[in-house]
Amino acid sequence: RPKSHSVAPPSATRPARALTMSTMLTHARVAPITAVHRARGRAGTARRLSPTLASEEARGKIDVEVRKMPRRAALALSASASLATGAAAFGVSAASATGELTTPKFVNKLVDGGLGTWNRVVFHDIQVSIPGSGQRVPVATWCPGERDSPFSDGDGADDETPAAYYPHQISIAKIARVLLNTPETTPTWLDRQMPLRASAGVSFLVSAGSGAVAVPATAKGVAVLCHGYLGSRFDLLDLAEFLAQEGFVVIAPEFAESLADPATTPAYARPGKPPPANPSATRDEIVKAAVRAFVPNFYDGTSQVKVVIAGQSAGASTATSSPGDFAARVAIAGFRPPEVVDRDSSLARNPLLIVASAGDGVISLYPKEKSAFGPYEGIEIGVAKFFAANGGTKYGKYDLEQFASRIDEAKVFVTYELPGGSGNADTENTSSLPCHISFLSSRTNDAMVEVLSPLLPVARLLGVPVLDFDKYQLTKDSDAVNGALVPLIAKWLTQAVEV
């Protein structure tokens, strides 16, 4: 591992053979290992990086630990260990990452001042406490860059660093625990730090995070972003940076299903399994704690600060089911309203934007007879049922171009479909349309592909859902999808809070 804190050209630190291997294996917009050292110096002590697995001693340790695990988990982790060992033999560290150091052009154009009204964005990772449990939950926070930022001490200096890297981590142990039901003792030596490049114009606050902070009086409101199953607080990174640039304070809490923390345990019981003995906080508990940290009187109805909520996949369900009178809700690649919703409920009253794609192989737009999660009626039918059950509330169903000209409507259903499509998810070729994870930032997606692509054949062998990562490997369409969609979501949310 290079000791220098400067980023040397790959050819200066790695033999030609290793450079070829590295070029093939790494494509994510993540930080090289030397940049990790720089980020550590700016943001405090980083978590320990995973060791390489080339030595006999490491292999011996792996063999001992794998024997303690269920056969399916052992198979998955052994395959990953073998790949990591092979990479190390060619000079590619299992804990390092190289590749592009750019962020999506549409985000950089915005944060560089080409669009929007704010000069910069301040990022801070805070922690909020869950009442009654003592659990502290990470909450990624972006604030419009002003002197009265809630993270500033008011002197306008010495609080922030220039743009650096977000502290993103991918835990193979957590993925095994959630998907394969491995025990809490699942080894974590394959977990990887995958720092993600921040956009130009984003500064990092380096002081220790706390809980409650004040929202600037000039902010448009607070936007809560909810990640999905095995996601992270950085999944909707493009939307977060864009909204902050447009004047929102953006908060993205980490839920128990996050792939970043192997120690958290989802509160729900797996099929055929007893409830977990020591579950982590639920999504509702985490959302409430995060919102109260910024808007203490939001839930008693006396706050003048507008709060909006958005999410993708399981996070979309969080956005539609979270109690509270939100100024607007956005559900991307998922829609599951509460089981009981009446016309007086906040979900029925709040402005609602739903986004779905016929190319989604996880939560389909159309009815699907066979899927990784069984038969599914499709988002389209679920949306129609919801509005019909609420007195036949009118809503507009549009494609993206139509939505752009109807941005002022309060109930909107945006779909990605083929012209003249059959509406049959089992027979239609929708490979040209966004898949389930196309709506996430390319930075988090590419990091996941780098880590998980060697494991996809093993996952298929074990019948583990791959959540459309196999599709994204071929299309790499997140920048194109978000480049068109994110500005429209931001515009829709802005008009919702200004009403």
Side-chain angles (χ1 to χ4, degrees):
R1 187 179 299 159
K3 294 183 179 180
S4 171
H5 286 227
S6 61
V7 182
S11 59
T13 58
R14 209 177 280 138
R17 185 181 184 190
L19 177 59
T20 302
M21 174 66 76
S22 176
T23 303
M24 291 192 301
L25 291 181
T26 59
H27 302 283
R29 293 182 173 88
V30 294
I33 193 67
T34 47
V36 175
H37 289 302
R38 292 206 310 273
R40 179 184 311 185
R42 288 172 178 162
T45 303
R47 294 186 64 177
R48 179 179 59 86
L49 296 174
S50 305
T52 56
L53 305 173
S55 69
E56 291 297 327
E57 179 181 0
R59 280 198 291 267
K61 183 177 181 181
I62 291 168
D63 290 340
V64 171
E65 291 183 339
V66 164
R67 283 198 296 269
K68 300 177 182 178
M69 301 173 61
R71 180 179 177 276
R72 294 204 307 168
L75 177 59
L77 290 177
S78 294
S80 181
S82 298
L83 288 163
T85 303
F90 283 94
V92 183
S93 169
S96 67
T98 63
E100 298 178 60
L101 296 183
T102 59
T103 47
K105 291 182 179 178
F106 79 92
V107 177
N108 272 332
K109 181 179 179 182
L110 177 76
V111 188
D112 283 340
L115 298 171
T117 57
W118 303 85
N119 294 324
R120 59 192 175 89
V121 169
V122 180
F123 171 79
H124 189 27
D125 235 346
I126 72 166
Q127 290 190 337
V128 299
S129 296
I130 306 301
S133 71
Q135 181 185 348
R136 292 182 64 79
V137 175
V139 180
T141 308
W142 293 261
C143 185
E146 287 193 305
R147 289 182 64 87
D148 64 344
S149 161
F151 309 132
S152 174
D153 60 12
D155 63 6
D158 301 325
D159 298 301
E160 303 154 16
T161 68
Y165 297 91
Y166 297 114
H168 181 54
Q169 176 168 305
I170 296 176
S171 170
I172 300 298
K174 180 59 170 292
I175 295 172
R177 285 187 60 199
V178 172
L179 293 181
L180 302 178
N181 200 33
T182 62
E184 293 185 11
T185 55
T186 301
T188 59
W189 36 257
L190 287 176
D191 293 359
R192 291 179 60 179
Q193 290 193 25
M194 302 292 287
L196 307 178
R197 179 79 175 200
S199 291
V202 178
S203 297
F204 278 45
L205 194 77
V206 297
S207 59
S210 59
V213 293
V215 175
T218 51
K220 290 181 178 178
V222 173
V224 185
L225 302 186
C226 306
H227 69 74
Y229 187 72
L230 284 177
S232 87
R233 62 194 186 278
F234 300 109
D235 275 1
L236 298 174
L237 186 51
D238 297 346
L239 181 59
E241 290 177 340
F242 202 107
L243 287 174
Q245 177 70 21
E246 288 295 294
F248 285 89
V249 173
V250 181
I251 61 176
E254 194 117 282
F255 298 107
E257 300 91 346
S258 165
L259 54 68
D261 188 353
T264 55
T265 302
Y268 54 80
R270 299 181 180 88
K273 301 292 181 180
N278 187 28
S280 303
T282 65
R283 284 177 171 255
D284 279 353
E285 290 172 334
I286 291 173
V287 169
K288 286 181 179 178
V291 170
R292 282 180 174 140
F294 289 82
V295 190
N297 55 348
F298 172 74
Y299 289 100
D300 63 21
T302 62
S303 172
Q304 298 300 309
V305 178
K306 300 290 185 69
V307 181
V308 300
I309 186 168
Q312 186 267 351
S313 190
S317 297
T318 306
T320 55
S321 63
S322 290
D325 201 12
F326 291 92
R329 300 173 188 253
V330 181
I332 305 170
F335 179 73
R336 188 183 65 188
E339 294 183 4
V340 179
V341 179
D342 57 43
R343 296 184 64 179
D344 296 325
S345 71
S346 59
L347 179 59
R349 294 194 314 269
N350 299 157
L352 177 62
L353 170 61
I354 304 161
V355 181
S357 173
D360 191 326
V362 180
I363 304 178
S364 175
L365 174 63
Y366 305 139
K368 198 173 181 66
E369 291 293 333
K370 298 178 181 179
S371 72
F373 302 101
Y376 178 57
E377 68 176 4
I379 292 178
E380 187 172 45
I381 291 177
V383 169
K385 284 183 176 179
F386 166 73
F387 285 112
N390 286 277
T393 304
K394 292 183 179 180
Y395 66 98
K397 182 184 175 186
Y398 308 121
D399 61 25
L400 201 63
E401 183 177 352
Q402 293 168 331
F403 173 47
S405 63
R406 294 170 171 83
I407 207 76
D408 59 339
E409 295 187 15
K411 307 287 186 182
V412 185
F413 183 25
V414 176
T415 63
Y416 293 78
E417 302 179 69
L418 295 175
S422 66
N424 189 324
D426 293 312
T427 62
E428 201 167 69
N429 182 3
T430 57
S431 58
S432 62
L433 299 175
C435 69
H436 189 65
I437 63 170
S438 298
F439 302 101
L440 306 183
S441 172
S442 60
R443 285 169 276 180
T444 48
N445 273 345
D446 292 350
M448 282 288 287
V449 166
E450 179 177 340
V451 173
L452 296 183
S453 56
L455 299 179
L456 289 178
V458 179
R460 294 189 187 97
L461 178 65
L462 299 177
V464 175
V466 295
L467 305 180
D468 274 2
F469 275 100
D470 51 344
K471 295 182 179 180
Y472 178 78
Q473 274 187 303
L474 301 176
T475 62
K476 294 292 185 75
D477 60 351
S478 284
D479 287 352
V481 171
N482 286 322
L485 179 62
V486 162
L488 293 179
I489 292 177
K491 189 174 181 180
W492 185 83
L493 289 173
T494 296
Q495 65 86 28
V497 299
E498 291 178 347
V499 171

